[in-house]
Amino acid sequence: MRIGLVHKCIGVEPKLYLSAIYLLKDLIQKLLRKLSPTDTEYQAVVDSLDKLIMYDITLVFDTYIRSLVSEIETAKEKSEHYARSLEEKVQERTRQLEEMSHTDPLTGLLNVRHFENIITTALYSAQRRSEPVTLIYIDIDDFKTINDMYGHQRGDEVLRLVANAIKSVARAEDITVRYGGDEFCMLLSNLRAEQAQELIISRLEHTMTKTLEHVSLSIGIAQTGPEAYIDAFTLINLADKNMYSTKASHKTDKQEPKL
Ligand SMILES: Nc1nc2c(ncn2[C@@H]2O[C@H](COP(=O)(O)OP(=O)(O)OP(=O)(O)O)[C@@H](O)[C@H]2O)c(=O)[nH]1
């Protein structure tokens, strides 16, 4: 008995199979006609032959169709799998692009554009919870001289090292930003200025002495809340102003940065 799957595998089309089997039936009928002694006997054998051929056709077509259905299902599964992996890739790429658009490529800290988008929301959240927020403004002293004396590449390395020091002292909930060329900000949630001095700034200065001993930072600090709140712009300006006071005091005993 022929099996549809085999027909399919060897590429026999259903119409070819049908024409072959009808040709065979015709030949057998002609032979039976000659061999049968009576019409009744001939008709009985032809009826049996018809049933046998019908059985064969049914079997062949059943297996043929089943094999086609299974092929379609496999193709469907493959295309669904492809669509799923494509969707995952698009999602991952979108996440990466979003992260890139929020991040400063040199230091990996948040960029100023994204910071300006999120600081107001952060302050509103703190106000809703009646929590203090402290902003630290950091500027590298004489960074231009570092570039001039040691080259732009070394300057970039210093920026990365300062950023790493900032990241290493920040808590998970803090926002760390490259604010401009050699300027950085840290927005510290639920922390007062005195606590920030103790917990963050002193640790940052300690880390700096270990990694970049002769590079000094000017740091300004400003707090808002929990009694009254100022807006983001005023908070940044206040910390910046305080940073400049520190810088002015650093300028009085100025030394060249050594790397
Ligand atoms: N290597 C490097 N330099 C940069 C980058 N962005 C800005 N700068 C340089 O940073 C320098 C900042 O110089 P200033 O604003 O004069 O600051 P400063 O020399 O630190 O002086 P003070 O702030 O007064 O201590 C400029 O010379 C910029 O060209 C950067 O991505 N990489």
Side-chain angles (χ1 to χ4, degrees):
M1 214 34 90
R2 288 152 297 268
I3 304 297
L5 189 58
V6 176
H7 282 68
K8 200 171 167 305
C9 285
I10 59 175
V12 177
E13 291 278 324
K15 62 180 179 194
L16 278 182
Y17 157 73
L18 277 180
S19 78
I21 202 150
Y22 285 129
L23 193 66
L24 179 68
K25 186 181 153 190
D26 209 34
L27 287 172
I28 295 172
Q29 269 181 335
K30 278 182 185 147
L31 196 64
L32 285 172
R33 179 83 272 178
K34 281 186 195 155
L35 297 175
S36 301
T38 65
D39 278 357
T40 330
E41 253 182 278
Y42 167 73
Q43 199 49 55
V45 182
V46 165
D47 286 350
S48 301
L49 180 69
D50 270 350
K51 276 188 197 151
L52 190 67
I53 284 176
M54 195 42 81
Y55 175 76
D56 189 59
I57 291 174
T58 311
L59 188 71
V60 166
F61 272 73
D62 268 4
T63 50
Y64 198 97
I65 288 164
R66 234 175 289 141
S67 134
L68 273 181
V69 168
S70 124
E71 251 183 38
I72 291 167
E73 271 166 7
T74 311
K76 195 173 144 223
E77 263 169 39
K78 270 190 193 159
S79 64
E80 278 173 1
H81 178 263
Y82 177 70
R84 263 199 309 277
S85 73
L86 202 66
E87 200 178 301
E88 278 165 18
K89 271 187 201 144
V90 169
Q91 272 176 0
E92 175 58 14
R93 194 76 194 113
T94 310
R95 194 195 59 71
Q96 284 173 351
L97 286 174
E98 227 168 64
E99 199 177 296
M100 272 162 68
S101 75
H102 294 168
T103 312
D104 166 54
L106 182 72
T107 61
L109 298 183
L110 293 187
N111 60 31
V112 62
R113 194 164 17 90
H114 186 58
F115 181 52
E116 283 168 355
N117 287 339
I118 61 173
I119 182 170
T120 302
T121 315
L123 293 184
Y124 279 138
S125 307
Q127 192 163 5
R128 262 202 311 276
R129 293 193 298 264
S130 301
E131 289 174 359
V133 182
T134 295
L135 190 119
I136 296 177
Y137 201 112
I138 303 159
D139 185 293
I140 303 176
D141 292 335
D142 300 316
F143 186 64
K144 188 177 176 307
T145 314
I146 295 176
N147 270 339
D148 293 346
M149 285 176 70
Y150 303 98
H152 204 267
Q153 245 181 334
R154 182 67 176 133
D156 280 357
E157 205 183 323
V158 168
L159 290 172
R160 271 194 294 266
L161 288 169
V162 171
N164 288 347
I166 289 172
K167 276 185 241 175
S168 75
V169 298
R171 302 162 305 164
E173 62 270 38
D174 296 335
I175 295 169
T176 49
V177 187
R178 181 173 179 205
Y179 199 71
D182 64 342
E183 295 172 23
F184 302 87
C185 279
M186 296 179 81
L187 189 72
L188 312 168
S189 58
N190 201 14
L191 208 68
R192 291 174 181 277
E194 316 86 77
Q195 295 170 300
Q197 180 65 51
E198 212 177 288
L199 276 172
I200 309 288
I201 297 176
S202 55
R203 283 173 54 220
L204 176 61
E205 284 166 346
H206 179 69
T207 310
M208 284 294 293
T209 52
K210 285 201 293 184
T211 48
L212 286 166
E213 195 188 343
H214 299 290
V215 174
S216 79
L217 303 176
S218 288
I219 298 177
I221 194 164
Q223 176 187 330
T224 183
E227 289 81 26
Y229 288 84
I230 51 178
D231 63 40
F233 179 75
T234 314
L235 183 69
I236 296 170
N237 274 347
L238 189 58
D240 185 25
K241 207 170 123 234
N242 292 339
M243 182 277 291
Y244 269 105
S245 310
T246 316
K247 192 168 286 280
S249 71
H250 287 181
K251 298 237 183 223
T252 53
D253 52 358
K254 190 174 168 183
Q255 284 177 5
E256 263 183 1
K258 284 191 221 115
L259 295 177

